[in-house]
Amino acid sequence: MDKKESIDLYREMVIIRRLEERAAELYQQGKIGGFLHLYIGQEAVSAGISSVRQPQDRLITAYRDHGWAISAGIDPNAVMAELLGKVDGCSKGKGGSMHMADTELNFWGGHAIVGAHIPLAAGLALGDVYQGNDDAVTICMFGDGSTNIGFFHEGLNLSKVWNLPVLWVCENNQYGMGTAVDRASAVSEIRQKAEGYGMPNERIEGMDVMEVRKEVSRVLEKIRKEGGPYLLEIMTYRYRGHSMGDPERYRDKDEVKKWEEEDPIGIYRKELIAGKIATAKELDAVDEEAMKIVDDAEAFAKASPNPDKSTLFEDIYVEPTPVEYRGYALERESEGR
Amino acid sequence: MAELVTMPKLGFDMAEGKLVRWVKAEGDTVAKGDVIAEIETDKATVEVESSLDGVMFRHLAPEEAELPVNSPIAVVSAAGEEPTEDEIDSLVAQASGKPSKKMEKPAEKKQAEKAPSKAVESDDSADVSPAGGVRSSPLARKIAENHDIQLAAVEGSGPQGRVVKKDVEAYLDSMSQAGSGSKSAGNGQTFQSASSFSLGEVPADEVVDLTRLRQAISRRMQDSNQNFPHFYLTRSYRTGALMALRKQLNQILPETDKLSVNDFVVKAVALALRQYPNLNASLQDDKNIVRHGHVNIGVAVAVEGGLLTVVSKDADLKPIRLIAREIREMVGRAREGKVRPEDIEGSTFSISNLGMYGIENFSAIINPPEAAILAVSAVQDVPMVVDGELTVGSQMKASISADHRVTDGAEAAEFMRVLADYLEEPMRLLI
Ligand SMILES: Cc1ncc(C[n+]2csc(CCOP(=O)(O)OP(=O)(O)O)c2C)c(N)n1
């Protein structure tokens, strides 16, 4: 990685952090609808994986997806506009926080139903095999909690039966909502679940972006060479509640503090300075730049209009469905109800 | 520059929050990320972090205030800055379109009203901490809070002594028994001597959750009373013959099979309904009237905390003795809380009988989706004119409430007259 790439990676992580902090404020002001799940603390995972993901590699994740959207290359303006439900959002303002996506960037989205995107990942990979896209790998992210759901086991099983090129990645942030891993999972190391499907697996640390990058790059190349699925469990931690308004009674403040000492941004910053790749001053400038990008994104999002009601039924099916068939709600609306 | 802190939205459906506690007092230094207050939402008490650096200059809302999302709750100023009243007012006005003074007043009033419950409130966070406090379920906490009791005093029966609903209820029961011992002893002698009155004994208002049963009753009765156009007809029935027949029959029936007046009424109503199928009906989708083939008479039964209707099926076809036995069994199950679904399903017409309470006349609310209900009052000896002579006779009043969409006054009146044929010549009920 050259200096520019290294600093870009740092900037990306800081943008994710600042953008989400801003999102939390906007949410509290009532400007963001629905739920808001923050990724703060887990940035090294999305930044690390995305830095070695190739353009042909498909990416799909769950609802904690703002970091992934930015790492996948979606403009922060479009991410913020999506959060505010505006027409210039990456999902045209109709997806919101949990449904960021951009298929042109091969990012197949955030998904709100726990585990539901796991079979979709198997399907994406099957599609690549079918079409002969030999060097494409599908990267499927999910939380520790979703590995207790049937979808996970069905997806893993089929991916092995059909030897699909999927990198299954469990982002183990230690809690599924308020439930600690060992209270809901029969095995405390999630990676062990891959054993049941005869799938190679590993657990790695997820707070150091360079480490994530190195390990994931190795595994991706292995899949490209040898084919077949692989499961990685990446140990990480979320600093904020599960979603906004989480009273966090399930964990001690000290536990959060301990993990905050291993802040992925702090670790990487130290590495950059120690490795003489960048000076503290240069990085401070990047911090300011990130802040400005977030300020601009907020202004952009606020200026963007709400989606038009007439677009409500668009973008649901691949082939547009004539409104007559789905007319009920529109009819009601035109009656002014 | 001074900035406002507003009531944060902390969940997708949160409209209002309660300011439980100020963590930062006026004058305290505040840094981004510091916890400034605790806010209670529908779901939980949450610590709110500051998104501003500066000094907590002014609390605009007192503890315990309940405010809509986005209402101003505080002013944070830059270190050393002293915003003027005008500046604060204009900040608030900008944010809410209202002058700040108006914000403060209702909030203050709330605080005064709620002040006594504060002790419970502050315990709340300790109660849920699995570390040192009392383990408890959210429902148990809510009930305890409503009754102003300390959870620590309640013995928990759940895992690791977790306090659950039934523990709090048992505790409440034991408290009320302890408090009412003398009252139950003196039954019939409840007058206290004047000197024993003291204002200190006025019990506090009590807030009781609607039980599932009450919720169902309130939903159905509200629907019926608002949406069914009721009309009411009342008639007196001479019950001398009926009482005599009942006496005669009960002399030959075993103790377990004795007939009540209501059993005769059920049978009489069922037979009368055979002739007036429009009253044994329900309206369907505002389009059709379904005239039921079966005549199933619902009988309202008072149970703890509400009422149920047990259903005497095909009462027009059954002998009174069987009707009586089935109703008695169903009522027994209903009172013991062991009612079976088939006991309470499928009624096509209902009867509510308050005769045993000495009620002289009343009207009832239709039990949806039925078309009518009969309210039956007490059998009483009253002065009456028989063959031009004033005498004393046995009489009972009954009122029908009917759905005017399905039937009309004349039809319901005829039904009431035919009912008289059965009740006043009760031999007809036996053949
Ligand atoms: C099928 C389904 N069940 C339950 C939920 C509610 N839910 C939302 S997030 C969540 C926890 C998932 O935890 P995990 O997979 O560990 O992801 P994390 O939040 O830690 O990123 C649950 C149960 C849901 N969205 N979908």
Side-chain angles (χ1 to χ4, degrees):
Chain A
M1 243 184 14
D2 62 21
K3 172 166 178 168
K4 179 175 175 303
E5 283 175 314
S6 304
I7 290 185
D8 285 349
L9 192 59
Y10 177 81
R11 183 187 303 101
E12 178 183 315
M13 288 166 68
V14 178
I15 290 174
I16 296 174
R17 176 76 53 97
R18 297 284 106 79
L19 185 133
E20 287 211 307
E21 287 168 350
R22 185 66 53 84
E25 288 173 29
L26 292 169
Y27 188 88
Q28 296 198 343
Q29 293 165 19
K31 301 226 158 53
I32 295 178
F35 291 105
L36 188 73
H37 307 86
L38 300 181
Y39 194 62
I40 292 176
Q42 302 180 213
E43 296 93 339
V45 183
S46 75
I49 292 185
S50 301
S51 74
V52 292
R53 173 170 85 99
Q54 301 302 309
Q56 73 272 20
D57 295 339
R58 300 176 192 273
L59 174 68
I60 186 167
T61 187
Y63 46 83
R64 203 177 293 285
D65 62 351
H66 317 146
W68 288 100
I70 290 183
S71 292
I74 300 182
D75 188 331
N77 285 358
V79 171
M80 192 62 105
E82 191 57 44
L83 284 169
L84 269 64
K86 300 302 187 71
V87 77
D88 293 307
C90 56
S91 304
K92 303 184 184 170
K94 297 186 288 183
S97 160
M98 302 200 276
H99 304 101
M100 305 273 169
D102 188 338
T103 53
E104 278 176 25
L105 295 168
N106 233 342
F107 173 43
W108 295 81
H111 294 261
I113 305 301
V114 172
H117 67 295
I118 294 178
L120 298 185
L124 288 172
L126 179 64
D128 279 330
V129 171
Y130 188 72
Q131 291 170 340
N133 304 334
D134 282 344
D135 57 349
V137 176
T138 293
I139 303 173
C140 177
M141 309 302 308
F142 44 86
D144 42 275
S146 46
T147 68
N148 303 319
I149 282 202
F151 279 141
F152 168 79
H153 298 274
E154 297 174 34
L156 253 67
N157 182 56
L158 266 192
S159 73
K160 183 64 188 181
V161 171
W162 290 338
N163 212 37
L164 301 173
V166 186
L167 174 58
W168 299 111
V169 185
C170 175
E171 255 180 296
N172 185 345
N173 63 11
Q174 341 236 344
Y175 296 93
M177 297 186 75
T179 307
V181 170
D182 53 9
R183 292 172 62 123
S185 174
V187 290
S188 56
E189 284 190 36
I190 303 295
R191 59 154 205 89
Q192 288 177 277
K193 296 187 181 183
E195 298 286 347
Y197 304 101
M199 192 182 296
N201 59 81
E202 243 175 289
R203 179 189 245 199
I204 64 169
E205 295 305 317
M207 300 310 267
D208 179 347
V209 64
M210 294 313 281
E211 173 110 1
V212 173
R213 196 181 132 86
K214 188 175 96 214
E215 301 296 337
V216 172
S217 158
R218 171 176 56 79
V219 173
L220 279 176
E221 287 329 301
K222 190 174 153 72
I223 297 176
R224 269 187 245 285
K225 231 190 280 144
E226 300 168 18
Y230 198 104
L231 184 134
L232 262 185
E233 175 182 10
I234 304 188
M235 301 307 291
T236 181
Y237 198 79
R238 69 168 151 71
Y239 296 164
R240 299 297 188 95
H242 166 72
S243 64
M244 298 298 288
D246 176 357
E248 296 180 61
R249 297 243 167 86
Y250 48 85
R251 61 183 185 185
D252 281 345
K253 285 206 165 142
D254 288 346
E255 179 184 304
V256 183
K257 276 221 190 72
K258 196 187 110 238
W259 280 91
E260 276 173 344
E261 284 162 18
E262 302 186 26
D263 181 356
I265 295 177
I267 291 177
Y268 187 42
R269 188 183 163 101
K270 269 193 220 129
E271 281 173 7
L272 289 174
I273 295 171
K276 304 230 174 336
I277 300 165
T279 64
K281 222 170 121 199
E282 281 173 298
L283 296 178
D284 287 347
V286 175
D287 288 347
E288 270 173 44
E289 198 189 327
M291 200 52 147
K292 167 101 180 33
I293 288 171
V294 170
D295 287 341
D296 291 350
E298 181 183 339
F300 172 86
K302 284 183 168 165
S304 172
N306 287 323
D308 196 82
K309 278 181 194 161
S310 65
T311 64
L312 194 59
F313 296 111
E314 292 169 10
D315 311 309
I316 296 173
Y317 295 102
V318 172
E319 291 174 22
T321 322
V323 168
E324 302 85 280
Y325 298 160
R326 317 185 41 88
Y328 177 74
L330 280 190
E331 229 172 72
R332 281 294 170 105
E333 192 160 285
S334 63
E335 286 169 14
R337 292 194 202 175
Chain B
M1 204 198 73
E3 286 193 65
L4 279 184
V5 181
T6 54
M7 174 61 71
K9 181 175 127 172
L10 297 166
F12 86 103
D13 53 357
M14 171 173 165
E16 221 183 51
K18 173 161 147 191
L19 205 162
V20 177
R21 194 167 75 88
W22 278 113
V23 176
K24 291 284 180 188
E26 291 182 353
D28 284 358
T29 308
V30 175
K32 242 186 183 171
D34 283 355
V35 174
I36 52 172
E38 288 172 11
I39 304 286
E40 187 182 294
T41 69
D42 293 349
K43 302 200 180 80
T45 304
V46 180
E47 293 180 338
V48 174
E49 295 177 3
S50 175
S51 56
L52 304 167
D53 287 315
V55 173
M56 176 59 72
F57 182 75
R58 168 83 51 85
H59 292 162
L60 296 178
E63 291 182 352
E64 301 285 320
E66 287 176 49
L67 297 166
V69 164
N70 273 340
S71 316
I73 56 173
V75 178
V76 170
S77 61
E81 180 201 17
E82 289 259 327
T84 64
E85 290 308 311
D86 282 354
E87 278 168 349
I88 293 177
D89 270 2
S90 83
L91 273 176
V92 171
Q94 267 169 26
S96 60
K98 283 185 232 149
S100 65
K101 305 234 161 58
K102 281 199 187 129
M103 288 293 319
E104 271 177 85
K105 276 186 191 147
E108 272 167 12
K109 204 167 120 230
K110 276 236 164 86
Q111 183 188 33
E113 280 166 9
K114 292 236 171 171
S117 66
K118 229 178 133 184
V120 177
E121 211 65 59
S122 57
D123 271 349
D124 190 60
S125 53
D127 289 342
V128 277
S129 115
V134 180
R135 281 175 184 269
S136 55
S137 74
L139 184 56
R141 284 199 293 283
K142 180 145 182 253
I143 302 174
E145 191 183 300
N146 285 343
H147 290 86
D148 246 352
I149 53 182
Q150 304 280 339
L151 275 177
V154 181
E155 198 172 335
S157 67
Q160 295 164 4
R162 189 166 185 263
V163 176
V164 296
K165 174 178 166 218
K166 88 171 187 280
D167 303 326
V168 181
E169 286 175 348
Y171 179 82
L172 280 170
D173 268 359
S174 69
M175 293 308 283
S176 67
Q177 266 159 27
S180 67
S182 58
K183 222 192 284 170
S184 54
N187 209 359
Q189 283 254 330
T190 47
F191 285 111
Q192 294 166 303
S193 73
S195 64
S196 73
F197 279 114
S198 103
L199 281 177
E201 286 174 21
V202 175
D205 290 356
E206 195 184 359
V207 179
V208 183
D209 292 334
L210 280 189
T211 59
R212 292 277 291 275
L213 177 60
R214 276 248 75 81
Q215 286 174 20
I217 294 171
S218 78
R219 201 171 50 241
R220 290 170 59 85
M221 290 301 105
Q222 179 166 343
D223 171 42
S224 175
N225 213 11
Q226 289 185 341
N227 297 323
F228 286 37
H230 287 55
F231 68 85
Y232 311 95
L233 306 177
T234 303
R235 198 188 150 115
S236 301
Y237 296 92
R238 297 188 174 182
T239 40
L242 193 150
M243 298 312 274
L245 178 65
R246 171 172 174 248
K247 193 171 167 196
Q248 213 179 341
L249 290 170
N250 277 348
Q251 271 167 0
I252 54 170
L253 284 168
E255 199 58 38
T256 51
D257 268 2
K258 301 267 191 252
L259 306 175
S260 70
V261 175
N262 197 55
D263 297 328
F264 288 90
V265 176
V266 169
K267 180 74 191 177
V269 164
L271 289 173
L273 282 173
R274 276 258 78 106
Q275 293 171 52
Y276 292 93
N278 223 27
L279 294 173
N280 190 49
S282 37
L283 193 64
Q284 200 177 48
D285 305 331
D286 291 339
K287 282 200 198 105
N288 307 309
I289 293 170
V290 181
R291 294 181 176 155
H292 300 292
H294 292 272
V295 178
N296 299 337
I297 306 294
V299 176
V301 183
V303 296
E304 203 190 325
L307 85 166
L308 293 172
T309 42
V310 299
V311 183
S312 174
K313 303 237 161 65
D314 297 314
D316 55 329
L317 305 176
K318 284 179 186 158
I320 297 192
R321 189 172 169 183
L322 184 56
I323 292 174
R325 187 186 307 151
E326 286 179 353
I327 291 180
R328 191 170 21 244
E329 285 169 4
M330 290 188 290
V331 169
R333 285 197 288 271
R335 298 231 159 102
E336 284 164 30
K338 291 184 186 148
V339 72
R340 300 173 185 164
E342 63 266 27
D343 291 350
I344 54 172
E345 281 170 3
S347 62
T348 57
F349 183 103
S350 293
I351 294 178
S352 173
N353 191 333
L354 294 178
M356 52 293 215
Y357 300 101
I359 294 298
E360 292 181 16
N361 190 27
F362 72 107
S363 39
I365 296 178
I366 294 170
N367 183 20
E370 293 160 23
I373 185 168
L374 191 73
V376 180
S377 297
V379 173
Q380 290 178 316
D381 285 339
V382 295
M384 60 170 66
V385 179
V386 179
D387 298 333
E389 295 275 338
L390 183 61
T391 80
V392 173
S394 168
Q395 175 190 290
M396 173 188 92
K397 284 190 174 165
S399 299
I400 189 168
S401 313
D403 183 344
H404 218 323
R405 297 170 303 175
V406 179
T407 182
D408 307 307
E411 186 173 43
E414 280 182 38
F415 165 82
M416 295 296 270
R417 187 179 50 73
V418 170
L419 188 60
D421 293 345
Y422 287 111
L423 290 174
E424 296 184 351
E425 294 174 38
M427 281 299 193
R428 292 164 181 261
L429 302 175
L430 303 183
I431 49 179

